[in-house]
Structures are given as C-alpha cells and as structure tokens.
Amino acid sequence: INSIKTKLSEVFKSHSIVKLETNEESLIGGRSNKVLKYQSEYYISSLNTILKFDSKGNFSGKLDRLGQGPEEYHAIYDFDIVNNDIWVSTKGGIIKYDKETFSYNGKIKIGGFVNQFKYVNDSTIIVRCPEDLIFKICDSNGNIRKQFIEKDPANSAAENHQFFNVGNNIVYHVDDTQCGIVYNIALDSMYYQHILTPLDEDLTVERNKDYYKK
C-alpha cells in the first residue's frame, strides 16, 4: 500500500498547531491537564498552578497561590475563565483571580469541596461536589438554590471537560457512557438523558450499575 503524506493543516483547516515555550517556569506536569483558550490566550493547568501563554505560545506568567491563607487555594480541582477572571474551584468554594495580574478578586464561599463547576450566569453556577446530592445550583454569592442527582459510585469517574452546551442546555457527561445529566436552563431542572442512542455494546448508566453490583 502506497503511503500518502498529508499535512495536518490540510485536514484541520480551521485549526493550527501552537508550539508552547518551554522553560523552567512553564513546564507542564501532572497526570491530567485542562487546556482553555480565552480570546487569544491559552491557559493550562499544571499540578496546582495555571500556566498562561499568548497566541504565539510565548509563556506570559502563571497563577501559583497554593497555600492555607485567605487569598490562597488548598488545591486546584477545576478552573475556568469567567468575566475576565480565573475562577479556581477548591476546598470551601471558588476563588477568583485577575487573569492579567493574578491578584485576588474575591471568593464564592460554598461549603465542602468543589470538584468541578460550570458558570451559566450570575444566578446559576452548577457545582459538582462529593456529597449525597452531587450537584448544587448556586448564585454568584454562593447561595444554594437547588440540589440534584444522588451520588452513584458506579458512575462517578471524572474527566477534565465534562460540561458542554447543547442548544440552551448544559450537559454533564457521565463516566464513559453514552449518557449525560442535562441541566435545563429554562426549567431550572436536571435529569438523565442519552447523548446518542446506545448500541448493544455501549456503556450506559444502568449497565455500569450492573457491573458495579457484580
């Protein structure tokens, strides 16, 4: 079979490869890394820091506020860029830092641990936590409006990017299944729904529960 060489740029015409600057300050470590592009900049989690690169891949600084102080985080469980701030989920809530200066911009106090979160608007922040009801719906002041979905050990694996938008709904991918937990913004409610119609060999929430029992 004759091999055909194809450039990635010809296949992914709307994408490009950005080579990131490598130095002692910008080395990326850890077992899993979340990568976000916000405007023309890139943000990458590396252990308990967040590295920042410009549009050409040049290293431009990092958020490193690990500690026990009032303006520090216990650990980085998740992060996002919201309203030009870096939001870091950690023990006790979500801490906000200026994305340019990395200075402290306040905290949304939420009891317990915030494993993952999704900002929808100032009255709706979806928070995933390790409690009996695993989703909290909070406002920007940390007030809990609603709680949904009982803890399910059979379907508890976490990924870096589990939230995604489908129309006006937010979907949280469940484990490695073809199922999602849908937050319906208009109804302010949550429920399970298939992402794709599962085939006989596909994992579902029910099959994971059956394997877990066995």
Side-chain angles (χ1 to χ4, degrees), residues 123-134:
S123 63
T124 304
I125 303 169
I126 306 171
V127 171
R128 184 182 187 272
C129 55
E131 299 176 11
D132 290 339
L133 292 173
I134 62 175

Side-chain angles (χ1 to χ4, degrees), residues 116 128 134-135 149-159 162 172-181 192 203-212:
Q116 292 173 305
R128 184 182 187 272
I134 62 175
F135 288 101
I149 311 298
E150 292 185 0
K151 182 187 294 184
D152 179 8
N155 294 283
S156 60
E159 301 171 5
Q162 286 195 281
Y172 183 87
H173 183 208
V174 178
D175 212 285
D176 289 325
T177 71
Q178 290 283 19
C179 302
I181 296 171
Y192 282 96
L203 278 178
T204 64
V205 168
E206 293 74 19
R207 287 169 186 156
N208 268 353
K209 288 181 179 180
D210 185 51
Y211 296 147
Y212 183 80

